[in-house]
Amino acid sequence: MHALRHDILPPSGVEFAATLKLTPSTITGSSSQEKLPRVLTNVVVSRTNLLRIFEVWEQAPQISTYIEDERERRAHVRKGTEAVEGEVEMDEGGEGWVNMGSVKATARKDPSMVSRFHFVREHTLHGTVTGMESVRIMSTYEDQLDRLLVSFKDAKIALLEWSDAAHDLVTVSIHTYERAPQMVSLDSPLFKTELRADPLSRCAALSLPKDAFAILPFFQTQAELDTMEQEQNHARDVPYSPSFVLDLVNDVDERIRNVIDFVFLPGYNNPTIAVLCQSEQTWAGRLKEFRDTACLYIFTLDLMSRNYPIITAVDGLPYDSMSLLPCATSLGGVIVLTSNSVIYVDQAARRVALPVNGWAARVSDMPMPPADKDLGLCLEGSRLVFVDEKTFFVIRKNGMIHPIEIILDGRTVSKLVLLPVIAQTTIPAVAKPVNDDLLFVGSMVGPSVLMKTAREEVPLELPAQQTGAATTIDFSDSMDLDDDDDLYGDSQAVTQVTIGATSGTSATTKTRSIIHLSLCDSLPAYGPIADMTFSLAKNGERFVPELVAATGAGHLGGFTLFQRDLPTRTKRKLHVLGGARGIWSLPVRQSQRVNGLSYEKATGPFSTEIDTIIISTDANPTPGVSRIATRTAKTDVAIPTRIPGTTISAAPFFQRTTILHVMTNSIRVLEPDGNERQVIKDMDGSLPRAKIKSCSICDPFVLILREDESIGLFIGETERGKIRRKDMSPMGDKTSRYIAGCFFTDTIGLFDTEATETTPAAQADKNTSTLQAAVTAGNRSQWLVLVRPQGVMEIWSLPKLTLVFSTTAISTLENILVDSHAPVALSLPQDPPRKPQDLDIDQILVAPLGETSLVPHLFVSNLTVLWFPDPPLPNPRTAFLKVKFHKVVSKTFEIQRVEETEKTVLAEHKRISRTFVPFVTSPNMECTLAGVFFTGDRPCWIIATDKGGLRVVPSGHTVVHAFTACSLWESKGDFLLYSDEGPTLLEWTPEVQLDSCLPYRSVPRSRAYSNIVFEPSGSLIVAASSLHARFASYDEDGNIIWEPDGNGISFPYVDCSTLELISPEHWVTMDGYEFASNESVNALACVCLETTSTESGSKNFIAVGTTINRGEDLAVKGATYIFEAVEVVSDPNWTPKRWYKLKLRVKDDAKGPVTAVCGINGYLVSSMGQKIFVRALDLDERLVGIAFLDVGVYVTSLRSMKNLLLIGDAVKSVWLVAFQEDPYKLVTLAKDVRRRHATTVDFFFAGGDLAIASEDEEGVLRLFAYDPSDPESRGGQHLLCHTEFHSHKECRSTIMIARRTKDEQLIPQAKLVSGFTDGSLSTLTPVDEAVFKRLQLLQGQLTRNVQHTAGLNPKAHRIVRNDAVSKPLSKSVLDGQLLSEFQVLGISRQNEITRQIGTERALVLHDWSSLIVPW
């Protein structure tokens, strides 16, 4: 059986991060446009195989709210009593002190500037990232840019740099150590390689198994390179010398074994490494024999002589030492983090410890001061980061930030001081300083945050008792607070107290230091998927499936709701409007007349205009009808004007004082009330021209395209309020042909021309020829984009019509479009008339996309492609545009072409128009998005966000004929569209996030959930929360064995659970069940059991399997619970009108943990220890056993289909079992005889084929076949493993759904949706034999012929190591990640690749698009 494994959602969260100057915009200080914000630096983040590049922008806050707040504040201040500089600080602090000196010092920085993330690029890699570092190589001195070093799980290091030509990362080199002797050992897959780089970029080190480092030295000067060249025949153009493997035991010191962590130390002449290791391993039960087994060794690397002398050796560190943090050069030494203390070690081996609980003294003999009696911190999972030379933050796993100050006595460190908590942030995975005052905290389980730190010295003039409690809140006007305020504690801005009074300028003044910490921005993420289920949701008027996933961890836990299409809500139906051929909602106002001129004050392109009229048009009745509608007082629609004929386009004109109305044969200027002001018939002398098929309007220009591919250009004269034809002689003869065109208004100064000295006329573009242009010349320029039939795209400057850009690469959709510097390409009419070609460009549009920065994108339709302009290098030409375009998205749609012969009225009525419609929307007060809607039979939203880049999201409608953003009802988030349901006014569902491949909504619950299930009879969600409770151990008689007996000593924690019944309509918990404090839920399922209480004889129940943990001396127990969701009378004031309760029907205690449950033919199947039981529900009050089976060691999953049962075991792999009812018994049909771990098992079938899919904890997908006719199966007793496919991430949950194909069969195909611990979702889809062969050949071509990011090998990435077979078993599963690269290639490259495998490009794209639908 063949299948396709395809990721429908990338990983979520941040595991590794690097801050560096990677893109050229960080050097120039501004991004490519003058009017965009300043770029401070790049932050590159990764999670498993996803690498994302962000720029950190410093920009002014959204101006509107800032000015309004300021104006409101000043309104309350009496004239003459405004605060002087410094008083405001005093009032906000509320402490009655002013320090003018400190205010002056901080006043240099603009307080109104905010730091924001801005997405640049992302890559899905064929490898799992295990580390990232910034390095500088010799070419850095030429371009001042850092390089990115990335390490991978299979012991590879890739050196990447930014290429301006490709506007992307390119691979400089890849270094592989997978064949090193250390990697050949059997336990090497369990090892996780780590990457570290020297602060001065002299070398990088990658940790390998068996206590070894792979060292990669870099050249820093030409002298080093020359020396190396003399010694060996070394290639001159590589930035590194040959790498080598350093065996720590043999080459450095035999005591360095079991490396825990290592770091490079700054401030040494040679690269210097500190290694934390444990020569004798121990654990809590062996502390009497072995304690303080951790050691720290500091040694230097002499890369030339290969000599490694040890500088410092420190032994006797606590056994639970976890990580190292290098200190600044001025301080020297290193910080060691342990579970119970923080230790500073200097170069002279002096140790200064800070215990944070009472356990530190009990597990270690190291001398340390006594812990505070109130202190009981736990440092596991913490991250350390320096904020200045003598202060570092400990960010604990619950997000609490503790500053620790290093106190010096002369030049030696005397003690470490733990200061009070200053904030709660996200759960940390990585913490990095971005620059002097910005701090990035990345999280794998929730949002990652960018925080700003500010230190202030203040006089200490407080009463003694207040010194510990004074805090300052930094109310930053510019801070755009997150919706998830509870995630970050008090996110207004939290600040800290510090003690440590130091003497000020005079002996009498004491000052203290306060650290302000404010939230700047965050990268949204939802974290690992623990479990998931499908529920029903409403999209508009239709019910659609919604995937509800239990995500996150700790206080960041909750639910994430994914939908395939962008979820919307229908506000009203407007059938009276019609509009099957087009709808335009326009803001038009009465003009003001001054000195006989009518003008309107020029406003910004996205000023808050409210629409006043709607123009709609229909093809029926012939020759069509157009309506002009306005809103009446009762929010209804009135249609005062009807015009016969079809409207092609309409737009506000003359600064929104009139309407420019284009019909099939005329262009009209209308007054706001619909009366005609001017009509221009589209005639050639007295002869009628071809019908107008499309047009583009951009005040004061109008472009029309006719059906015979000729164009007309008109310009408005503001003084007369009329339009006239514009001379087009620079564009060639009247007979010149064009197939698409549009105008574009550049508001950010990206499109910038440059002229050579020979043509001063090109500079005349700056002159203004109309009053309108004079009004708005300061902030925008206008351009005309045209496409000729031979596939040439041209950009002309307005109003003088100078050709500034020309390219032929658009017809084949190449990845980069650059100016070809060709002269005007004439295209003459053909005889007979040209037929439309398959790859003709139907429509072209340049429109801004984005959130805070509106960057123009070029849209081309037939294949929807989006390019993003990027400033290139100057080239010699008379006048040219300093811009190039690079492809961001390419998406193929299947469309049905109408034959040209059909010219009837019916054919015109059936015609589907596919057009790009730009829009601007404000779904909420904080956010304004500019996007584009693509109408037609595959309608979709094209949206770009600051954090997620550009996304193409389906709208979910069968067909959309017309679309417009509409604020007629005074809401900036409304859209009016004519779909298969008629004209509808709708809005996006609130709080929908668009920065991922699937639109999603987060439901924060401040706790994590381990299991979730949908109860279909009441449309309810039942979830098991994962909590912690204090645990005390008791003996058989119930006497407590141990109690806390000292300061800072506490009971340990144990997992516990509660069951919650949740309404998915409002996400309120209706009822719950609390288990014992030492009982946790393992399994949760909705099962259909036989019962006498209903007419049908069966009913849905909730089955729960639990573990009861009794400590290490008593055997673990378990229990099976059966709950029923029953409807109760609800209070009329409650939000969900129908209210339900959980009713416990049965509690059945077991001698072992109940780890899996499912239903089969009306019976309950549950595991208990090494047994499987089948039980019936008797009288709704007890479970009666009817069959059992001895199975493996620990059952991880149970799945049933008809009377077949699949059992997944942690050791004994997969069993296929049949259930027989007369007599009752379980019969083992077949099992996998190899020792494998199965975390999930599922049935997978298509047509008449059945396979069994299993996943293990390493991420290996296996497909098993049950085939008694195969001799290898020993008569069907053994399951045959035919396929192994490595996904490199652990799967926690799978759902089998139906996949219905065009050739509808009686039984649909099975499709599997899997959720992973890194937050990604993937599907396993059955593939037909013919399609599989085509795509497998294509996969081979793509592996060999396409440049892969970081030079990784896609084929090797999927191979599973299996010593029992001679060849890898990865043939039967296609790699969707690799195949998706085909769609991004240019057309000529696609044709070349498909020609080599004897197939057609269109056929391959058809196969691909039919397989990648999420569900």
Side-chain angles (χ1 to χ4, degrees):
M1 205 178 151
H2 306 301
L4 166 75
R5 181 62 172 266
H6 179 58
D7 282 357
I8 54 174
L9 203 60
S12 171
V14 172
E15 188 174 6
F16 300 100
T19 61
L20 68 166
K21 292 193 181 300
L22 182 71
T23 55
S25 54
T26 57
I27 302 301
T28 56
S30 72
S31 53
S32 45
Q33 305 85 8
E34 292 168 20
K35 299 188 182 169
L36 285 184
R38 194 164 74 92
V39 180
L40 299 176
T41 184
N42 291 107
V43 174
V44 184
V45 299
S46 70
R47 178 85 165 98
T48 52
N49 64 339
L50 181 72
L51 187 82
R52 290 181 293 164
I53 305 169
F54 293 91
E55 289 176 340
V56 178
W57 285 9
E58 193 179 61
Q59 63 191 61
Q62 291 190 340
I63 199 75
S64 55
T65 56
Y66 187 73
I67 288 175
E68 287 302 316
D69 294 349
E70 192 66 19
R71 193 173 293 143
E72 198 172 46
R73 194 174 65 78
R74 288 203 175 142
H76 299 299
V77 178
R78 274 177 47 215
K79 192 165 171 57
T81 63
E82 297 88 347
V84 300
E85 189 178 25
E87 270 185 50
V88 182
E89 310 269 329
M90 174 185 76
D91 293 338
E92 286 185 354
E95 311 244 2
W97 38 258
V98 182
N99 178 358
M100 293 303 282
S102 71
V103 173
K104 290 268 192 250
T106 55
R108 282 180 298 106
K109 293 211 171 182
D110 186 353
S112 66
M113 298 303 273
V114 292
S115 299
R116 288 273 181 274
F117 285 116
H118 193 268
F119 176 84
V120 182
R121 287 304 287 242
E122 75 176 9
H123 284 286
T124 309
L125 308 172
H126 298 285
T128 303
V129 177
T130 59
M132 289 195 301
E133 291 288 345
S134 156
V135 293
R136 300 173 78 82
I137 58 177
M138 275 176 60
S139 49
T140 299
Y141 298 108
E142 297 164 18
D143 57 15
Q144 304 303 309
L145 295 176
D146 299 336
R147 270 51 178 177
L148 181 68
L149 203 62
V150 186
S151 68
F152 297 96
K153 182 177 163 187
D154 46 0
K156 291 188 175 89
I157 302 178
L159 180 63
L160 307 171
E161 68 181 7
W162 185 262
S163 159
D164 239 11
H167 194 79
D168 204 353
L169 279 179
V170 294
T171 311
V172 178
S173 62
I174 182 157
H175 309 264
T176 174
Y177 306 97
E178 56 192 337
R179 294 184 188 277
Q182 288 83 359
M183 295 298 294
V184 181
S185 59
L186 287 171
D187 57 351
S188 63
L190 302 173
F191 185 83
K192 189 175 177 185
T193 58
E194 290 184 352
L195 180 70
R196 301 281 186 270
D198 178 53
L200 297 178
S201 300
R202 291 168 293 198
C203 69
L206 179 75
S207 63
L208 299 177
K210 309 292 181 197
D211 306 312
F213 292 159
I215 306 287
L216 177 63
F218 294 106
F219 296 128
Q220 291 301 311
T221 62
Q222 188 62 40
E224 286 180 30
L225 185 56
D226 294 339
T227 316
M228 184 59 78
E229 270 187 340
Q230 289 160 12
E231 287 180 13
Q232 338 171 341
N233 231 340
H234 192 62
R236 190 179 186 90
D237 55 349
V238 294
Y240 47 84
S241 60
S243 61
F244 59 93
V245 173
L246 175 67
D247 187 330
L248 297 175
V249 176
N250 296 325
D251 300 343
V252 184
D253 193 306
E254 60 182 15
R255 295 170 297 177
I256 304 181
R257 297 177 187 275
N258 308 313
V259 174
I260 300 166
D261 193 15
F262 71 105
V263 291
F264 279 91
L265 300 183
Y268 287 86
N269 290 333
N270 280 335
T272 302
I273 300 183
V275 176
L276 181 66
C277 62
Q278 196 173 16
S279 48
E280 180 72 49
Q281 291 183 303
T282 185
W283 64 290
R286 288 183 77 199
L287 288 183
K288 283 189 178 172
E289 291 80 28
F290 296 101
R291 60 166 63 195
D292 296 336
T293 53
C295 312
L296 176 73
Y297 295 94
I298 300 177
F299 62 91
T300 59
L301 299 173
D302 189 336
L303 299 171
M304 285 296 177
S305 65
R306 299 282 171 94
N307 200 11
Y308 318 105
I310 289 186
I311 304 172
T312 306
V314 182
D315 51 11
L317 293 172
Y319 83 102
D320 55 357
S321 300
M322 296 181 294
S323 65
L324 297 175
L325 177 70
C327 298
T329 313
S330 60
L331 202 62
V334 66
I335 304 284
V336 181
L337 176 72
T338 77
S339 305
N340 308 305
S341 59
V342 178
I343 303 165
Y344 168 79
V345 183
D346 66 11
Q347 296 98 317
R350 282 186 69 255
R351 296 172 293 182
V352 179
L354 170 69
V356 296
N357 57 38
W359 290 106
R362 298 195 181 196
V363 300
S364 171
D365 293 333
M366 203 181 108
M368 54 179 78
D372 241 342
K373 66 173 186 294
D374 301 330
L375 221 56
L377 305 183
C378 168
L379 297 183
E380 274 112 341
S382 300
R383 296 292 180 269
L384 306 182
V385 60
F386 270 100
V387 283
D388 60 35
E389 288 193 351
K390 293 175 190 164
T391 310
F392 61 94
F393 284 166
V394 176
I395 308 172
R396 288 168 52 216
K397 69 176 178 187
N398 58 2
M400 294 296 181
I401 301 178
H402 297 261
I404 294 183
E405 204 160 298
I406 300 172
I407 306 295
L408 293 178
D409 184 2
R411 294 192 62 179
T412 58
V413 173
S414 61
K415 63 174 178 175
L416 304 177
V417 177
L418 178 72
L419 304 169
V421 174
I422 61 167
Q424 182 174 21
T425 181
T426 187
I427 295 173
V430 59
K432 291 260 180 184
V434 176
N435 57 18
D436 294 342
D437 59 351
L438 288 177
L439 182 66
F440 175 69
V441 181
S443 173
M444 293 194 285
V445 297
S448 302
V449 296
L450 183 69
M451 295 186 288
K452 189 168 193 168
T453 59
R455 184 177 275 278
E456 197 176 355
E457 296 289 330
V458 297
L460 197 58
E461 297 176 6
L462 293 170
Q465 69 268 26
Q466 287 185 21
T467 51
T471 58
T472 325
I473 303 293
D474 173 20
F475 289 101
S476 155
D477 286 322
S478 57
M479 216 159 68
D480 213 5
L481 295 178
D482 237 74
D483 294 338
D484 318 312
D485 279 357
D486 56 333
L487 295 191
Y488 310 105
D490 180 4
S491 60
Q492 274 291 353
V494 203
T495 60
Q496 149 196 344
V497 211
T498 74
I499 41 174
T502 56
S503 61
T505 46
S506 67
T508 53
T509 313
K510 296 231 171 176
T511 64
R512 60 174 190 168
S513 186
I514 293 184
I515 291 183
H516 301 251
L517 195 61
S518 54
L519 174 68
C520 295
D521 203 1
S522 68
L523 296 177
Y526 44 82
I529 295 174
D531 198 9
M532 55 189 187
T533 185
F534 274 103
S535 81
L536 275 181
K538 254 194 157 181
N539 189 347
E541 295 294 296
R542 305 178 311 283
F543 280 100
V544 293
E546 181 173 68
L547 186 70
V548 181
T551 56
H555 66 280
L556 301 181
F559 301 116
T560 307
L561 322 176
F562 299 100
Q563 283 196 26
R564 189 187 67 183
D565 311 318
L566 202 154
T568 55
R569 293 200 304 211
T570 303
K571 294 183 87 169
R572 61 176 62 197
K573 297 279 190 185
L574 296 163
H575 289 292
V576 66
L577 272 180
R581 278 282 159 265
I583 306 177
W584 297 267
S585 180
L586 313 176
V588 180
R589 295 173 300 178
Q590 297 294 334
S591 62
Q592 300 159 1
R593 298 190 72 79
V594 176
N595 299 338
L597 295 178
S598 73
Y599 82 99
E600 186 65 45
K601 192 178 130 197
T603 51
F606 304 123
S607 56
T608 54
E609 287 295 329
I610 297 294
D611 296 344
T612 51
I613 64 165
I614 293 175
I615 296 180
S616 63
T617 185
D618 284 276
N620 287 3
T622 312
V625 62
S626 301
R627 307 174 189 82
I628 300 181
T630 56
R631 183 180 145 198
T632 60
K634 294 181 181 172
T635 73
D636 291 333
V637 174
I639 302 177
T641 314
R642 283 183 171 80
I643 306 160
T646 313
T647 303
I648 300 298
S649 182
F653 216 65
F654 296 129
Q655 292 84 51
R656 299 179 181 159
T657 57
T658 58
I659 306 161
L660 192 96
H661 187 213
V662 179
M663 303 185 75
T664 49
N665 57 0
S666 64
I667 298 157
R668 314 164 66 222
V669 181
L670 307 180
E671 300 288 356
D673 55 6
N675 296 327
E676 281 186 11
R677 179 190 289 186
Q678 181 190 10
V679 181
I680 296 182
K681 293 279 185 197
D682 190 31
M683 309 274 281
D684 188 5
S686 58
L687 301 172
R689 290 184 189 266
K691 279 186 176 179
I692 299 171
K693 67 171 180 180
S694 67
C695 82
S696 176
I697 306 170
C698 180
D699 193 2
F701 301 101
V702 183
L703 170 79
I704 58 170
L705 270 98
R706 305 184 187 91
E707 289 180 352
D708 63 354
E709 298 183 349
S710 60
I711 63 166
L713 193 59
F714 299 83
I715 185 166
E717 296 179 333
T718 314
E719 297 85 348
R720 293 174 51 224
K722 301 277 180 78
I723 59 171
R724 61 175 173 81
R725 289 185 186 275
K726 180 158 174 58
D727 173 38
M728 296 190 298
S729 52
M731 304 164 82
D733 195 13
K734 270 187 183 176
T735 54
S736 198
R737 294 292 181 251
Y738 292 92
I739 52 174
C742 74
F743 291 108
F744 170 64
T745 304
D746 180 21
T747 55
I748 57 173
L750 177 74
F751 281 34
D752 184 16
T753 54
E754 220 174 73
T756 56
E757 293 166 9
T758 51
T759 55
Q763 298 297 335
D765 291 348
K766 301 282 186 279
N767 298 341
T768 51
S769 60
T770 63
L771 179 66
Q772 181 271 342
V775 174
T776 59
N779 64 352
R780 60 184 201 165
S781 54
Q782 288 174 308
W783 310 86
L784 173 60
V785 185
L786 291 169
V787 182
R788 296 186 183 256
Q790 65 264 46
V792 179
M793 182 185 87
E794 300 171 351
I795 301 181
W796 298 77
S797 69
L798 293 172
K800 294 292 181 190
L801 283 180
T802 314
L803 180 66
V804 291
F805 186 95
S806 166
T807 181
T808 54
I810 192 163
S811 56
T812 56
L813 306 178
E814 297 305 318
N815 283 349
I816 301 278
L817 301 187
V818 290
D819 196 347
S820 63
H821 308 110
V824 178
L826 294 180
S827 43
L828 300 173
Q830 297 170 2
D831 206 22
R834 202 178 68 94
K835 284 262 175 75
Q837 305 292 313
D838 261 1
L839 295 176
D840 267 5
I841 287 164
D842 293 346
Q843 195 200 353
I844 191 163
L845 169 74
V846 180
L849 282 185
E851 205 172 331
T852 52
S853 64
L854 301 165
V855 178
H857 286 63
L858 169 70
F859 300 77
V860 182
S861 149
N862 193 344
L863 286 161
T864 309
V865 181
L866 294 96
W867 278 276
F868 171 85
D870 167 43
L873 304 167
N875 291 306
R877 180 184 175 175
T878 54
F880 68 93
L881 198 55
K882 290 193 295 182
V883 79
K884 69 182 175 191
F885 298 86
H886 74 261
K887 188 155 66 172
V888 184
V889 170
S890 172
K891 198 169 178 70
T892 312
F893 299 106
E894 280 185 68
I895 54 175
Q896 291 74 40
R897 282 198 179 280
V898 182
E899 288 301 316
E900 287 298 307
T901 50
E902 288 190 60
K903 284 287 183 189
T904 59
V905 176
L906 186 62
E908 175 60 25
H909 180 63
K910 282 183 178 175
R911 183 172 66 87
I912 294 172
S913 70
R914 299 178 189 88
T915 55
F916 293 112
V917 184
F919 65 86
V920 178
T921 181
S922 296
N924 53 46
M925 294 303 287
E926 293 87 36
C927 167
T928 301
L929 273 174
V932 169
F933 189 87
F934 183 57
T935 65
D937 50 356
R938 293 283 189 280
C940 52
W941 306 83
I942 303 166
I943 298 155
T945 60
D946 282 351
K947 322 276 177 60
L950 195 140
R951 303 287 175 198
V952 181
V953 188
S955 78
H957 297 90
T958 313
V959 61
V960 172
H961 295 287
F963 169 92
T964 182
C966 175
S967 57
L968 193 67
W969 284 270
E970 291 174 3
S971 165
K972 287 289 188 183
D974 288 358
F975 303 100
L976 187 58
L977 54 81
Y978 191 103
S979 66
D980 46 329
E981 300 167 8
T984 312
L985 186 74
L986 51 82
E987 65 176 357
W988 291 348
T989 306
E991 294 173 5
V992 65
Q993 299 262 13
L994 300 169
D995 48 51
S996 193
C997 293
L998 295 175
Y1000 69 93
R1001 284 181 298 144
S1002 289
V1003 182
R1005 307 278 292 181
S1006 72
R1007 57 191 172 278
Y1009 291 84
S1010 58
N1011 303 78
I1012 182 170
V1013 74
F1014 181 66
E1015 206 278 320
S1017 53
S1019 292
L1020 303 168
I1021 295 281
V1022 181
S1025 63
S1026 176
L1027 306 167
H1028 289 101
R1030 293 283 186 187
F1031 178 75
S1033 194
Y1034 295 87
D1035 61 16
E1036 295 283 9
D1037 302 329
N1039 301 318
I1040 194 162
I1041 293 174
W1042 177 86
E1043 285 185 275
D1045 53 356
N1047 290 337
I1049 304 288
S1050 57
F1051 279 118
Y1053 283 98
V1054 69
D1055 289 329
C1056 69
S1057 297
T1058 59
L1059 202 64
E1060 296 181 24
L1061 185 68
I1062 298 164
S1063 157
E1065 201 177 342
H1066 301 92
W1067 293 99
V1068 293
T1069 301
M1070 298 177 168
D1071 194 18
Y1073 182 83
E1074 203 165 309
F1075 297 99
S1077 62
N1078 61 338
E1079 188 171 13
S1080 58
V1081 171
N1082 297 325
L1084 178 67
C1086 181
V1087 293
C1088 182
L1089 301 180
E1090 289 182 0
T1091 175
T1092 53
S1093 58
T1094 61
E1095 288 180 15
S1096 62
S1098 64
K1099 193 195 287 188
N1100 283 329
F1101 292 91
I1102 304 296
V1104 183
T1106 66
T1107 292
I1108 300 169
N1109 193 342
R1110 303 191 295 160
E1112 58 190 10
D1113 296 329
L1114 297 175
V1116 69
K1117 288 190 172 182
T1120 307
Y1121 295 81
I1122 303 292
F1123 292 94
E1124 185 186 353
V1126 293
E1127 191 168 359
V1128 295
V1129 178
S1130 69
D1131 190 307
N1133 302 326
W1134 291 346
T1135 35
K1137 292 297 173 211
R1138 302 181 68 179
W1139 202 259
Y1140 292 83
K1141 293 270 186 198
L1142 275 177
K1143 186 173 184 183
L1144 176 62
R1145 289 292 187 186
V1146 181
K1147 179 187 177 186
D1148 186 72
D1149 290 319
K1151 292 178 181 174
V1154 180
T1155 54
V1157 290
C1158 78
I1160 186 166
N1161 293 357
Y1163 302 101
L1164 176 72
V1165 185
S1166 63
S1167 73
M1168 186 205 80
Q1170 289 84 35
K1171 284 184 168 56
I1172 296 286
F1173 288 97
V1174 180
R1175 289 181 284 191
L1177 184 65
D1178 184 27
L1179 302 173
D1180 287 3
E1181 59 185 29
R1182 66 194 183 108
L1183 290 170
V1184 179
I1186 56 174
F1188 80 95
L1189 181 71
D1190 286 314
V1191 288
V1193 178
Y1194 180 96
V1195 175
T1196 55
S1197 55
L1198 292 171
R1199 292 282 190 277
S1200 65
M1201 186 173 70
K1202 297 189 175 176
N1203 69 327
L1204 294 175
L1205 185 67
L1206 271 183
I1207 304 168
D1209 193 88
V1211 178
K1212 299 283 188 178
S1213 193
V1214 183
W1215 295 35
L1216 178 63
V1217 175
F1219 173 57
Q1220 174 186 311
E1221 288 194 54
D1222 191 16
Y1224 291 116
K1225 68 174 179 178
L1226 288 166
V1227 182
T1228 305
L1229 298 178
K1231 56 187 174 184
D1232 177 25
V1233 289
R1234 299 210 169 273
R1235 187 183 171 116
R1236 296 186 177 112
H1237 181 134
T1239 51
T1240 64
V1241 289
D1242 283 280
F1243 292 100
F1244 184 62
F1245 50 85
D1249 297 329
L1250 169 71
I1252 295 164
S1254 102
E1255 308 230 16
D1256 71 9
E1257 59 188 351
E1258 286 178 18
V1260 178
L1261 164 72
R1262 293 184 175 90
L1263 292 181
F1264 296 94
Y1266 173 61
D1267 186 2
S1269 62
D1270 191 316
E1272 284 185 27
S1273 71
R1274 305 279 175 91
Q1277 292 179 41
H1278 294 181
L1279 289 173
L1280 302 175
C1281 179
H1282 281 318
T1283 304
E1284 292 182 318
F1285 181 90
H1286 216 315
S1287 54
H1288 295 274
K1289 46 197 177 186
E1290 184 189 347
C1291 172
R1292 288 268 186 90
S1293 172
T1294 55
I1295 303 176
M1296 182 174 73
I1297 56 174
R1299 176 178 183 255
R1300 292 178 171 83
T1301 51
K1302 295 262 175 63
D1303 44 329
E1304 185 63 64
Q1305 296 165 331
L1306 193 61
I1307 301 172
Q1309 297 178 348
K1311 181 171 181 169
L1312 295 181
V1313 181
S1314 307
F1316 295 90
T1317 50
D1318 65 352
S1320 59
L1321 279 175
S1322 77
T1323 56
L1324 190 69
T1325 312
V1327 182
D1328 296 337
E1329 182 83 27
V1331 174
F1332 178 81
K1333 285 180 177 171
R1334 267 196 301 273
L1335 293 180
Q1336 192 178 32
L1337 289 170
L1338 176 67
Q1339 188 169 288
Q1341 288 291 325
L1342 291 170
T1343 303
R1344 293 185 292 272
N1345 298 337
V1346 171
Q1347 285 280 336
H1348 303 292
T1349 311
L1352 296 165
N1353 182 349
K1355 188 176 178 183
H1357 183 54
R1358 299 304 182 190
I1359 288 176
V1360 178
R1361 177 173 172 171
N1362 186 342
D1363 298 330
V1365 292
S1366 57
K1367 288 172 71 177
L1369 300 173
S1370 53
K1371 285 274 190 234
S1372 299
V1373 175
L1374 296 167
D1375 183 1
Q1377 181 187 332
L1378 176 59
L1379 288 169
S1380 61
E1381 294 178 17
F1382 179 74
Q1383 201 171 214
V1384 183
L1385 300 173
I1387 292 177
S1388 53
R1389 191 95 172 81
Q1390 288 177 340
N1391 285 330
E1392 181 190 329
I1393 286 178
T1394 49
R1395 194 167 53 245
Q1396 290 171 352
I1397 58 173
T1399 183
E1400 292 176 6
R1401 168 185 164 275
L1403 189 58
V1404 168
L1405 288 170
H1406 164 77
D1407 294 340
W1408 177 245
S1409 57
S1410 65
L1411 287 170
I1412 57 168
V1413 182
W1415 50 74

